[in-house]
Amino acid sequence: MARSIVVGVDGSPESLAAVEWAADEAVARQQPLRLLHAWGYGPAPNASWQAAESQRAWGNHFLDEALTRVRTRQPELEPEADLVPGAAAEVLESSDEETALLVLGSRGAGIVSGFLVGSVALGVVAAARCPVVLVRAAQPVPEGPNEGDVVLGVDLDHRTDALFEFSFEAARVRGSALTVVHAYPVPSPYGVAPGESHAATTSDMFAESYQRLLDALSPWQGKNPDIHVRPIAEAGHATPVLLDAARGASLCVIGRRERTRGPGPRLGAVDYGVMHHAACPVAVVPHA
Protein backbone atom coordinates (compact mmCIF):
# COMPACT_ATOMS: atom_id res chain seq x y z
CA MET A 1 0.00 0.00 0.00
CA ALA A 2 1.33 3.46 -0.90
CA ARG A 3 2.44 5.62 1.99
CA SER A 4 0.19 8.60 2.66
CA ILE A 5 0.60 12.33 2.70
CA VAL A 6 -0.55 13.29 6.20
CA VAL A 7 -1.72 16.80 7.08
CA GLY A 8 -2.30 18.04 10.61
CA VAL A 9 -5.70 19.73 11.03
CA ASP A 10 -6.53 22.20 13.82
CA GLY A 11 -9.14 24.52 12.27
CA SER A 12 -6.79 27.50 11.80
CA PRO A 13 -6.42 29.33 8.45
CA GLU A 14 -2.84 28.03 8.28
CA SER A 15 -4.06 24.49 8.79
CA LEU A 16 -6.61 24.85 5.99
CA ALA A 17 -3.91 26.26 3.69
CA ALA A 18 -1.83 23.18 4.56
CA VAL A 19 -4.81 20.95 3.73
CA GLU A 20 -5.16 22.53 0.28
CA TRP A 21 -1.41 22.28 -0.36
CA ALA A 22 -1.41 18.63 0.73
CA ALA A 23 -4.42 17.85 -1.51
CA ASP A 24 -2.61 19.27 -4.53
CA GLU A 25 0.52 17.33 -3.61
CA ALA A 26 -1.41 14.07 -3.18
CA VAL A 27 -2.87 14.41 -6.67
CA ALA A 28 0.50 15.35 -8.20
CA ARG A 29 2.28 12.44 -6.50
CA GLN A 30 -0.66 10.03 -6.86
CA GLN A 31 -0.56 9.18 -3.16
CA PRO A 32 -3.33 8.81 -0.57
CA LEU A 33 -4.20 11.78 1.64
CA ARG A 34 -4.86 11.48 5.36
CA LEU A 35 -6.30 14.29 7.50
CA LEU A 36 -5.30 14.00 11.14
CA HIS A 37 -6.56 15.92 14.17
CA ALA A 38 -5.05 15.20 17.59
CA TRP A 39 -7.03 16.21 20.64
CA GLY A 40 -4.86 16.38 23.73
CA TYR A 41 -7.50 16.35 26.47
CA GLY A 42 -6.55 13.95 29.25
CA PRO A 43 -9.31 14.21 31.87
CA ALA A 44 -8.34 14.05 35.53
CA PRO A 45 -10.44 11.74 37.74
CA ASN A 46 -12.72 14.62 38.74
CA ALA A 47 -12.99 16.17 35.26
CA SER A 48 -16.35 16.11 33.57
CA TRP A 49 -16.90 13.91 30.53
CA GLN A 50 -18.57 16.87 28.81
CA ALA A 51 -15.16 18.55 28.37
CA ALA A 52 -13.78 15.55 26.50
CA GLU A 53 -16.92 15.27 24.37
CA SER A 54 -16.67 18.97 23.54
CA GLN A 55 -13.08 18.53 22.34
CA ARG A 56 -14.13 15.53 20.29
CA ALA A 57 -16.95 17.52 18.71
CA TRP A 58 -14.62 20.37 17.82
CA GLY A 59 -12.15 17.91 16.34
CA ASN A 60 -14.84 16.38 14.13
CA HIS A 61 -15.89 19.88 13.08
CA PHE A 62 -12.31 20.73 12.06
CA LEU A 63 -12.04 17.51 10.07
CA ASP A 64 -15.37 18.12 8.32
CA GLU A 65 -14.19 21.60 7.34
CA ALA A 66 -10.93 20.18 6.01
CA LEU A 67 -12.78 17.48 4.05
CA THR A 68 -14.93 20.17 2.43
CA ARG A 69 -11.79 22.05 1.38
CA VAL A 70 -10.29 18.91 -0.16
CA ARG A 71 -13.47 17.99 -2.06
CA THR A 72 -13.77 21.52 -3.42
CA ARG A 73 -10.14 21.72 -4.50
CA GLN A 74 -9.50 18.13 -5.65
CA PRO A 75 -12.87 16.36 -6.10
CA GLU A 76 -11.28 13.11 -7.23
CA LEU A 77 -9.52 12.61 -3.88
CA GLU A 78 -11.06 10.41 -1.19
CA PRO A 79 -9.04 11.32 1.90
CA GLU A 80 -9.03 9.43 5.17
CA ALA A 81 -9.94 11.57 8.21
CA ASP A 82 -8.84 10.52 11.70
CA LEU A 83 -9.51 11.95 15.15
CA VAL A 84 -6.78 10.65 17.46
CA PRO A 85 -6.46 11.25 21.22
CA GLY A 86 -3.11 12.44 22.47
CA ALA A 87 -0.71 15.37 22.39
CA ALA A 88 -0.47 16.76 18.87
CA ALA A 89 3.32 16.47 18.54
CA GLU A 90 3.35 12.87 19.78
CA VAL A 91 0.47 11.82 17.51
CA LEU A 92 2.02 13.45 14.45
CA GLU A 93 5.48 12.00 15.15
CA SER A 94 4.09 8.50 15.70
CA SER A 95 2.29 8.62 12.35
CA ASP A 96 5.42 9.07 10.26
CA GLU A 97 6.32 5.39 9.80
CA GLU A 98 3.50 5.06 7.25
CA THR A 99 3.91 8.62 6.01
CA ALA A 100 5.61 9.79 2.83
CA LEU A 101 5.20 13.46 3.72
CA LEU A 102 3.89 15.29 6.77
CA VAL A 103 2.29 18.72 6.17
CA LEU A 104 1.67 21.36 8.87
CA GLY A 105 0.42 24.93 8.89
CA SER A 106 2.49 27.80 10.28
CA ARG A 107 1.36 31.31 11.10
CA GLY A 108 2.53 34.23 9.00
CA ALA A 109 4.59 36.70 10.99
CA GLY A 110 2.44 39.77 10.29
CA ILE A 111 4.41 42.54 8.62
CA VAL A 112 7.52 40.35 8.66
CA SER A 113 7.67 38.06 5.65
CA GLY A 114 7.84 34.58 7.07
CA PHE A 115 6.54 32.06 9.57
CA LEU A 116 5.87 31.96 13.25
CA VAL A 117 6.64 28.30 13.85
CA GLY A 118 4.88 27.04 16.97
CA SER A 119 6.28 24.61 19.50
CA VAL A 120 4.27 21.69 18.11
CA ALA A 121 5.59 22.20 14.58
CA LEU A 122 9.16 22.73 15.80
CA GLY A 123 9.01 19.56 17.87
CA VAL A 124 7.65 17.53 14.96
CA VAL A 125 10.19 18.92 12.47
CA ALA A 126 13.06 18.15 14.86
CA ALA A 127 12.01 14.55 15.48
CA ALA A 128 10.13 13.30 12.39
CA ARG A 129 11.71 10.55 10.34
CA CYS A 130 9.94 11.65 7.17
CA PRO A 131 10.06 15.00 5.34
CA VAL A 132 7.90 17.72 6.93
CA VAL A 133 6.45 20.64 4.95
CA LEU A 134 5.43 23.89 6.65
CA VAL A 135 2.74 25.91 4.84
CA ARG A 136 1.61 29.40 5.77
CA ALA A 137 -1.84 30.85 5.18
CA ALA A 138 -2.42 31.84 1.55
CA GLN A 139 -0.71 35.12 0.72
CA PRO A 140 0.78 36.60 -2.46
CA VAL A 141 4.29 35.22 -2.91
CA PRO A 142 6.85 37.92 -3.76
CA GLU A 143 8.58 37.75 -7.11
CA GLY A 144 12.09 36.42 -6.97
CA PRO A 145 15.10 35.33 -8.97
CA ASN A 146 13.91 31.72 -9.30
CA GLU A 147 10.17 32.23 -9.77
CA GLY A 148 8.21 28.99 -9.36
CA ASP A 149 11.30 26.78 -8.94
CA VAL A 150 11.92 24.20 -6.29
CA VAL A 151 14.90 25.66 -4.41
CA LEU A 152 17.23 23.34 -2.50
CA GLY A 153 19.91 24.44 -0.04
CA VAL A 154 22.78 21.97 0.38
CA ASP A 155 25.79 21.72 2.67
CA LEU A 156 28.33 19.78 0.62
CA ASP A 157 30.25 18.77 3.75
CA HIS A 158 27.42 16.36 4.63
CA ARG A 159 25.60 13.65 2.74
CA THR A 160 22.96 15.02 0.43
CA ASP A 161 21.37 11.96 -1.23
CA ALA A 162 18.05 12.24 0.64
CA LEU A 163 17.83 15.96 -0.20
CA PHE A 164 18.57 15.47 -3.89
CA GLU A 165 16.11 12.59 -4.17
CA PHE A 166 13.30 14.58 -2.54
CA SER A 167 14.02 17.78 -4.48
CA PHE A 168 14.29 16.20 -7.93
CA GLU A 169 10.98 14.43 -7.32
CA ALA A 170 9.38 17.68 -6.10
CA ALA A 171 10.54 19.44 -9.28
CA ARG A 172 9.29 16.56 -11.40
CA VAL A 173 5.74 16.56 -10.02
CA ARG A 174 5.55 20.35 -10.46
CA GLY A 175 7.08 20.42 -13.91
CA SER A 176 9.48 23.08 -12.63
CA ALA A 177 13.17 23.79 -12.65
CA LEU A 178 15.34 22.93 -9.64
CA THR A 179 17.64 25.59 -8.22
CA VAL A 180 20.38 24.15 -6.01
CA VAL A 181 22.15 26.59 -3.70
CA HIS A 182 25.45 26.09 -1.90
CA ALA A 183 26.75 28.88 0.35
CA TYR A 184 30.44 28.89 1.22
CA PRO A 185 32.33 31.08 3.74
CA VAL A 186 33.38 34.56 2.70
CA PRO A 187 37.19 34.48 2.37
CA SER A 188 38.98 36.68 4.88
CA PRO A 189 41.69 39.01 3.56
CA TYR A 190 43.83 37.93 6.54
CA GLY A 191 43.90 34.40 5.21
CA VAL A 192 45.47 35.32 1.88
CA ALA A 193 48.88 33.77 1.31
CA PRO A 194 51.87 36.05 0.66
CA GLY A 195 52.05 37.03 -2.98
CA GLU A 196 48.36 36.32 -3.63
CA SER A 197 45.58 38.86 -3.99
CA HIS A 198 42.30 38.69 -2.10
CA ALA A 199 40.44 38.84 -5.42
CA ALA A 200 42.36 35.82 -6.72
CA THR A 201 41.63 33.90 -3.52
CA THR A 202 37.94 34.81 -3.76
CA SER A 203 37.83 33.66 -7.38
CA ASP A 204 39.55 30.37 -6.49
CA MET A 205 37.10 29.69 -3.66
CA PHE A 206 34.14 30.31 -5.95
CA ALA A 207 35.56 28.03 -8.64
CA GLU A 208 36.24 25.26 -6.12
CA SER A 209 32.81 25.54 -4.49
CA TYR A 210 30.99 25.68 -7.82
CA GLN A 211 32.86 22.62 -9.09
CA ARG A 212 32.05 20.70 -5.90
CA LEU A 213 28.39 21.54 -6.44
CA LEU A 214 28.51 20.39 -10.07
CA ASP A 215 30.20 17.14 -9.03
CA ALA A 216 27.54 16.46 -6.38
CA LEU A 217 24.75 17.17 -8.87
CA SER A 218 26.19 15.20 -11.77
CA PRO A 219 24.84 11.71 -10.95
CA TRP A 220 21.39 13.12 -10.13
CA GLN A 221 21.22 15.08 -13.37
CA GLY A 222 22.15 11.89 -15.18
CA LYS A 223 19.16 10.14 -13.60
CA ASN A 224 16.85 13.10 -14.27
CA PRO A 225 17.81 14.56 -17.67
CA ASP A 226 14.35 16.09 -18.15
CA ILE A 227 14.69 18.44 -15.16
CA HIS A 228 16.40 21.77 -15.72
CA VAL A 229 18.88 22.43 -12.91
CA ARG A 230 20.27 25.84 -11.93
CA PRO A 231 23.35 25.47 -9.68
CA ILE A 232 24.28 28.47 -7.52
CA ALA A 233 27.43 28.78 -5.40
CA GLU A 234 27.63 32.01 -3.44
CA ALA A 235 29.84 33.36 -0.67
CA GLY A 236 27.99 34.26 2.50
CA HIS A 237 25.98 32.87 5.38
CA ALA A 238 23.67 30.07 4.24
CA THR A 239 20.44 31.56 5.62
CA PRO A 240 20.32 34.89 3.73
CA VAL A 241 21.78 33.31 0.59
CA LEU A 242 19.08 30.65 0.55
CA LEU A 243 16.26 33.03 1.49
CA ASP A 244 17.21 35.32 -1.39
CA ALA A 245 17.25 32.42 -3.86
CA ALA A 246 13.88 31.18 -2.54
CA ARG A 247 11.98 34.43 -3.15
CA GLY A 248 9.13 33.48 -5.48
CA ALA A 249 9.90 29.74 -5.25
CA SER A 250 7.15 27.14 -5.16
CA LEU A 251 9.00 25.17 -2.46
CA CYS A 252 12.20 25.59 -0.47
CA VAL A 253 13.94 22.40 0.64
CA ILE A 254 16.42 22.20 3.52
CA GLY A 255 17.99 19.31 5.38
CA ARG A 256 17.97 18.32 9.03
CA ARG A 257 20.83 16.15 10.16
CA GLU A 258 19.77 13.22 12.32
CA ARG A 259 22.04 13.52 15.34
CA THR A 260 23.27 10.44 17.21
CA ARG A 261 24.66 12.35 20.20
CA GLY A 262 23.21 14.85 22.64
CA PRO A 263 20.02 15.03 24.69
CA GLY A 264 17.57 14.76 21.79
CA PRO A 265 16.64 15.90 18.30
CA ARG A 266 17.69 19.42 17.40
CA LEU A 267 17.45 21.93 14.59
CA GLY A 268 20.33 23.99 13.26
CA ALA A 269 20.53 27.76 12.89
CA VAL A 270 19.91 27.58 9.14
CA ASP A 271 16.82 25.43 9.69
CA TYR A 272 15.40 27.98 12.13
CA GLY A 273 16.22 30.94 9.90
CA VAL A 274 14.67 29.49 6.76
CA MET A 275 11.59 28.08 8.51
CA HIS A 276 10.81 31.41 10.15
CA HIS A 277 11.51 33.73 7.23
CA ALA A 278 10.91 31.97 3.90
CA ALA A 279 7.80 33.27 2.14
CA CYS A 280 7.08 29.95 0.39
CA PRO A 281 6.35 26.48 1.81
CA VAL A 282 9.44 24.90 3.40
CA ALA A 283 10.25 21.19 3.30
CA VAL A 284 12.61 19.87 5.98
CA VAL A 285 14.16 16.54 4.99
CA PRO A 286 15.95 14.41 7.61
CA HIS A 287 19.24 12.88 6.46
CA ALA A 288 22.22 11.03 7.88
Side-chain angles (χ1 to χ4, degrees):
M1 182 177 178
R3 293 191 300 160
S4 300
I5 293 176
V6 174
V7 55
V9 175
D10 65 10
S12 67
E14 299 76 31
S15 165
L16 294 174
V19 166
E20 293 182 341
W21 190 94
D24 292 344
E25 196 74 5
V27 170
R29 292 175 178 264
Q30 298 184 329
Q31 289 178 308
L33 177 64
R34 183 186 180 205
L35 310 178
L36 182 62
H37 175 76
W39 62 287
Y41 181 77
N46 61 348
S48 67
W49 64 268
Q50 287 94 341
E53 288 305 307
S54 175
Q55 288 218 8
R56 235 187 257 271
W58 273 110
N60 283 317
H61 171 73
F62 295 151
L63 288 172
D64 288 343
E65 189 176 18
L67 283 167
T68 299
R69 287 290 185 104
V70 172
R71 289 164 182 158
T72 300
R73 190 172 185 94
Q74 298 291 354
E76 67 274 32
L77 274 181
E78 296 182 1
E80 178 184 354
D82 290 324
L83 182 67
V84 182
E90 294 175 3
V91 169
L92 290 165
E93 288 167 28
S94 67
S95 72
D96 69 6
E97 290 186 3
E98 302 84 27
T99 301
L101 191 63
L102 183 57
V103 185
L104 304 174
S106 288
R107 287 181 293 145
I111 61 173
V112 180
S113 176
F115 293 111
L116 287 176
V117 184
S119 59
V120 170
L122 284 175
V124 172
V125 169
R129 288 162 290 183
C130 66
V132 181
V133 177
L134 300 175
V135 180
R136 60 188 300 191
Q139 293 184 20
V141 177
E143 293 182 1
N146 301 298
E147 191 82 24
D149 285 9
V150 172
V151 174
L152 164 65
V154 291
D155 178 354
L156 296 177
D157 292 328
H158 301 282
R159 292 194 60 171
T160 54
D161 289 355
L163 290 169
F164 281 134
E165 182 178 9
F166 179 90
S167 301
F168 272 94
E169 181 61 19
R172 180 184 307 285
V173 300
R174 286 164 177 76
S176 72
L178 173 63
T179 297
V180 183
V181 182
H182 170 56
Y184 59 93
V186 178
S188 167
Y190 298 104
V192 177
E196 291 186 1
S197 69
H198 181 250
T201 301
T202 301
S203 177
D204 290 345
M205 287 190 70
F206 167 76
E208 179 185 354
S209 297
Y210 190 70
Q211 188 59 53
R212 287 183 67 202
L213 180 57
L214 294 181
D215 291 344
L217 276 168
S218 179
W220 292 94
Q221 288 184 279
K223 297 175 189 176
N224 301 274
D226 55 325
I227 296 175
H228 178 58
V229 179
R230 299 187 181 106
I232 295 175
E234 186 172 327
H237 189 276
T239 301
V241 169
L242 185 53
L243 288 172
D244 182 62
R247 283 188 293 110
S250 62
L251 181 68
C252 180
V253 183
I254 56 177
R256 175 185 65 79
R257 277 187 291 152
E258 295 180 319
R259 302 176 187 271
T260 56
R261 297 180 181 179
R266 287 171 288 169
L267 295 167
V270 176
D271 297 327
Y272 275 108
V274 174
M275 287 191 304
H276 280 279
H277 296 292
C280 63
V282 176
V284 184
V285 180
H287 62 95

